[in-house]
Amino acid sequence: MHSKDGSAETSAASRVQDFQIFGEFGEVNPSISDGSTFTFLDPEKLKAIFHEPIPGCHLYSRLENPSTRVLGQALACLEGTPSARATASGMAAIATTLLALCEQGSVIVSDRLVYGGTHALLRNLFPRYGITTRFVDCMDPDAVRQALEEGAVRVLYCESLTNPLLRSPDLALLADLAHARGARFVVDNTFAPMIFAPRQQGADIVIHSLTKFINGMSDCVAGVICADQAFIDELSDASSGTCMLFGPTLDSVRAAAIYKNLHTLPVRLVQHGRNARMWAERLVECGLEVRYPGLPGYPDRAIFERQADPRMGFGGMLTMDAGEEGRAQALMVALQEVKVGFLAVSLGYYRTLFSHPGGSTSSEIPESERLATGLAPGLVRFSVGLDFEIERSWERFEKCLHKAGLIV
Ligand SMILES: *Cc1c(COP(=O)(O)O)cnc(C)c1O
């Protein structure tokens, strides 16, 4: 992969591997912080930290403690940003970031197809605080340019690999458009950690839901904001920071667990990608309508290849159009019965998860908008698992396709 200026990049996986913090007694893992508050020997220092961060010093765990700080530092390595702040969920990361960048009267320009929760936040909740959103198709640079032109646009927002349609917007181009209008470019990289490095393409702030691939265990909810030190300090400000004052705090035991899981991400990602690609190819051979970035017919292939680290594969997500909702449901029930995976929202788990976005994770988006963007009523989204014998899982999958009447 190459950065915008053409220089070769160290892989995100290697940057994370080189990040090394020992425990208090030399343990191979960092110590787990066990305090809500921290003692100070010098009252003047306690006074000073309220006004300015002091390196190596912690104040109160609502903002940060050694465990959440270590996780943040490791994720800053992953995204190649100077700093990062771990949060209690992906939505907490998105909401606190956007509220820090906007004020009453601000406008956000957002891709029209984003995660359902993000869409609902922008469409339903933010207008109550005077922050409005213009939804555009981020695959259409002219539409984005036009939307950026009117009013007090503070933020251009998109996902690097969109949920659930797996489109891949041109991040470098969008960064240029945003910066030309003085807006910040915020990218949700949840679907493609280590595959895309939006910061290298010009994004100002990169967000993840750690709940998905990065943690990979579907055992907790967490998020991260990766950005410049100045922005992270702004979030942390004791008198006006959105992280400090809304308190979207990640527990230190969870932070330590996620930190350890992060280190197996590259291996998991390659296996997710290998399995997803195999299923995608087989489904195409069955004559089904499939979208997967590793398929020759993927519409954004050129952009994807320009932005992605080829060592990381094409990711674990694929979609298939079952034609109608009833068929989608019949297929998912059959797949669950034969233990191919679970009918559940979310992604990045070691087992395969499948869901019907139209009736679940994208149901917050109005139906007319879903249809206009190509989110078909029979669309099934797969997060393909780490199955060791993927051929065995495919044999079961194929039987389910017969059973649901999708192949004869
Ligand atoms: C799940 C998800 C989120 C929200 O993350 P939570 O951890 O559930 O709060 C945001 N963006 C995308 C793309 C997601 O898939």
Side-chain angles (χ1 to χ4, degrees), residues 96-326:
T96 48
T97 294
L98 295 176
L99 286 170
L101 295 173
C102 295
E103 58 196 18
Q104 198 174 26
S106 298
V107 175
I108 296 169
V109 173
S110 167
D111 196 7
R112 60 200 289 194
L113 259 192
V114 288
Y115 172 69
T118 309
H119 189 97
L121 178 76
L122 298 174
R123 183 183 289 267
N124 306 329
L125 199 53
F126 276 3
R128 283 171 42 187
Y129 310 107
I131 300 164
T132 52
T133 298
R134 251 173 240 147
F135 291 98
V136 294
D137 178 2
C138 277
M139 302 307 300
D140 178 354
D142 287 333
V144 176
R145 200 175 286 118
Q146 209 174 354
L148 286 167
E149 258 157 32
E150 293 157 55
V153 179
R154 290 289 171 83
V155 176
L156 175 61
Y157 184 92
C158 77
E159 293 168 3
S160 59
L161 189 61
T162 68
N163 178 8
L165 290 181
L166 308 179
R167 297 302 304 260
S168 178
D170 187 332
L171 300 177
L173 177 65
L174 293 175
D176 285 345
L177 293 178
H179 295 153
R181 300 297 305 179
R184 303 277 195 107
F185 184 35
V186 180
V187 178
D188 178 340
N189 200 23
T190 300
F191 270 40
M194 290 189 173
I195 296 175
F196 289 141
R199 177 78 177 188
Q200 270 72 60
Q201 313 296 321
D204 299 291
I205 298 164
V206 184
I207 287 171
H208 283 277
S209 166
L210 303 179
T211 315
K212 316 296 170 54
F213 286 101
I214 289 180
N215 185 53
M217 304 296 145
S218 288
D219 57 0
C220 69
V221 173
V224 72
I225 304 160
C226 301
D228 285 335
Q229 191 60 51
F231 184 67
I232 300 301
D233 287 347
E234 192 186 320
L235 298 174
S236 316
D237 190 284
S239 63
S240 63
T242 52
C243 277
M244 188 56 160
L245 299 179
F246 289 128
T249 311
L250 181 62
D251 181 72
S252 54
V253 178
R254 282 303 188 189
I258 297 167
Y259 172 83
K260 286 173 275 186
N261 290 335
L262 169 64
H263 288 77
T264 58
L265 176 63
V267 185
R268 288 186 280 116
L269 207 55
V270 168
Q271 182 72 8
H272 281 298
R274 208 178 275 155
N275 287 351
R277 187 174 186 164
M278 191 269 207
W279 279 6
E281 286 168 357
R282 293 291 169 88
L283 288 165
V284 168
E285 282 166 24
C286 291
L288 292 160
E289 200 165 311
V290 181
R291 184 167 292 164
Y292 181 67
L295 288 175
Y298 176 64
D300 311 320
R301 185 84 190 219
I303 301 171
F304 189 100
E305 287 185 347
R306 195 162 68 236
Q307 296 179 165
D309 185 336
R311 296 166 286 197
M312 302 317 300
F314 295 92
M317 303 302 295
L318 72 90
T319 64
M320 194 201 91
D321 189 356
E324 56 188 62
E325 188 174 340

